[in-house]
Amino acid sequence: MTASAASPTSTREKLGTYLAARRRGTDWLLHHVNDDGSLGDPGAGFRFYRAPWTFAVTGETQAAVANCAWIRRNMLTPDGTIEGPFRVFGDAYAYRNATLIIGAHLARQYDLSYGLMPDLLAWRDPVSGAFANDREPDGSMSDRMDIPYACGPGFAALATGHLDIARGVYRFLDRIYTAQTELPDRFFYAWSRSRQEVITEYPADQQLWHVVDNGLARRQRWTIGGIAAGFLCRLYLAEPQPEYLELARRYQAFSMAATESQFEFAQVCKSSWGSSLLFQITGEDQYREWTHRMGDWYVSTQQPEGYWAWDMHTTLGAHLELTLEFVMHLDTLIGGLAARP
């Protein structure tokens, strides 16, 4: 994307708009916090895994800690796992747990953040450094691993001081990027735990979970570039190695080069994760302009009531899950822009 550099005044004006959108989203979420600390209908499944994170970064300490307390009472097992009838979903198993760990840590609920790390680390593949995506019906770990569901535990590892694990996620991101043969057009982002190689063959109805084709206007996990760049930037802040930043640039470049149609889908959201942190670190105009564009997208797609919804997100639980994530992304975006005059 080419654009002229934004003036400090325009950035300040945009920040005010983004802050207002974050506030509207937070207020809508707070309206759905129950007296016992739960959010929405917890029986609909573990869609609220990001609640402590989002409430903590928006200053809603009461909601963050109350939700952690509800989870502690209703989902935490004696052996340090998150289970029970409210779990419902087996997909994104480690990712959901990792996201909760980050929020609990931000809310200073260290029994949950540190306490859940042993179970999270059990999902790690020691060969590749990635994490199994899903819990299968028989309780086993899926063979498929991928970029987003490796970065989630990577963020949790950074939050709790497991730098060795975070470095392993970097090595996985570098390894799977190096294995690509169809860049810049396509990125095969899933990895086989048993074969230790990128997955390029799969049933046609499973393409969403294996490849991003940057030129096609269809629902895809556009998330891969932004979340990888975001993680690598956070790792760079902890340990400023130039190879982390260089790989972050490559992943973000893939995200920013995608078809304009990516903005028609909710999955574009994580692109702001990478651009805002790359702008914070580098100060480069290309990342500021993309971050502005992403911020404007959040504002323009927000419902008047304050939540976000897409065709695939039609229930209250789905609206809560999406809004928790978008408010968190807005907070990261605001921080990245505020870091530079």
Side-chain angles (χ1 to χ4, degrees):
M1 177 182 178
T2 57
S4 59
S7 70
T9 300
S10 66
T11 297
R12 284 196 299 270
E13 291 171 350
K14 286 181 177 293
L15 276 172
T17 303
Y18 305 154
L19 283 163
R22 185 185 66 176
R23 184 68 259 167
R24 287 194 301 273
T26 303
D27 287 344
W28 182 84
L29 290 166
L30 289 171
H31 178 73
H32 293 281
V33 174
N34 303 313
D35 291 342
D36 62 0
S38 62
L39 185 65
D41 175 13
F46 192 31
R47 291 184 176 275
F48 48 89
Y49 54 90
R50 200 181 299 273
W53 184 345
T54 299
F55 287 134
V57 297
T58 55
E60 299 296 340
T61 304
Q62 180 177 346
V65 175
N67 191 249
C68 285
W70 185 91
I71 291 170
R72 187 185 290 116
R73 292 192 304 269
N74 294 277
M75 297 185 71
L76 182 65
T77 67
D79 58 350
T81 65
I82 295 296
E83 297 294 347
F86 298 105
R87 182 89 209 199
V88 180
F89 309 114
D91 70 301
Y93 192 85
Y95 182 88
R96 294 176 197 267
N97 288 3
T99 304
L100 171 60
I101 286 169
I102 296 165
H105 204 70
L106 290 168
R108 303 179 296 274
Q109 305 303 293
Y110 300 132
D111 62 317
L112 291 179
S113 60
Y114 289 118
L116 291 172
M117 280 301 294
D119 180 58
L120 177 65
L121 295 178
W123 288 76
R124 180 176 181 266
D125 170 36
V127 180
S128 67
F131 287 72
N133 280 10
D134 309 319
R135 182 181 63 181
E136 303 291 1
D138 64 359
S140 63
M141 301 176 187
S142 65
D143 181 66
R144 189 176 75 242
M145 306 181 293
D146 68 24
I147 288 171
Y149 293 164
C151 290
F155 282 116
L158 280 174
T160 55
H162 290 79
L163 271 176
D164 55 331
I165 304 300
R167 294 186 194 105
V169 173
Y170 156 71
R171 288 190 290 272
F172 168 69
L173 293 175
D174 184 54
R175 187 176 181 184
I176 196 170
Y177 190 97
T178 302
Q180 302 303 309
T181 59
E182 298 188 29
L183 289 176
D185 298 327
R186 295 173 193 84
F187 201 120
F188 295 92
Y189 68 89
W191 189 267
S192 168
R193 188 159 52 92
S194 61
R195 300 194 307 274
Q196 290 299 315
E197 61 183 24
V198 67
I199 301 172
T200 57
E201 296 182 2
Y202 41 82
D205 63 355
Q206 291 293 304
Q207 63 184 6
L208 174 69
W209 302 104
H210 292 87
V211 65
V212 172
D213 190 320
N214 255 357
L216 295 183
R218 68 183 182 206
R219 189 169 70 95
Q220 304 189 71
R221 292 181 79 193
W222 308 106
T223 57
I224 64 171
I227 194 171
F231 165 74
L232 290 162
C233 285
R234 290 294 190 204
L235 180 59
Y236 179 84
L237 289 171
E239 190 175 61
Q241 299 297 318
E243 57 266 30
Y244 302 160
L245 189 60
E246 175 58 27
L247 191 57
R249 289 179 179 277
R250 293 178 183 178
Y251 272 103
Q252 187 64 28
F254 179 78
S255 177
M256 292 166 60
T259 171
E260 291 291 304
S261 297
Q262 68 178 309
F263 287 95
E264 299 172 10
F265 302 92
Q267 289 80 9
V268 72
C269 64
K270 290 182 175 64
S271 191
S272 69
W273 213 339
S275 67
S276 59
L277 291 173
L278 277 165
F279 174 66
Q280 175 182 328
I281 291 169
T282 71
E284 293 178 13
D285 289 338
Q286 62 171 326
Y287 300 128
R288 172 166 47 194
E289 293 305 317
W290 191 262
T291 301
H292 284 175
R293 184 173 188 184
M294 289 299 308
D296 294 347
W297 176 81
Y298 287 118
V299 172
S300 67
T301 57
Q302 189 175 29
Q303 300 295 313
E305 297 86 349
Y307 68 93
W308 281 268
W310 253 267
D311 291 344
M312 299 298 293
H313 301 81
T314 57
T315 66
L316 175 60
H319 293 163
L320 288 167
E321 183 176 23
L322 198 66
T323 302
L324 284 166
E325 178 169 7
F326 282 19
V327 170
M328 182 277 289
H329 287 320
L330 270 170
D331 184 79
T332 302
L333 181 154
I334 289 164
L337 289 175
R340 293 275 178 172

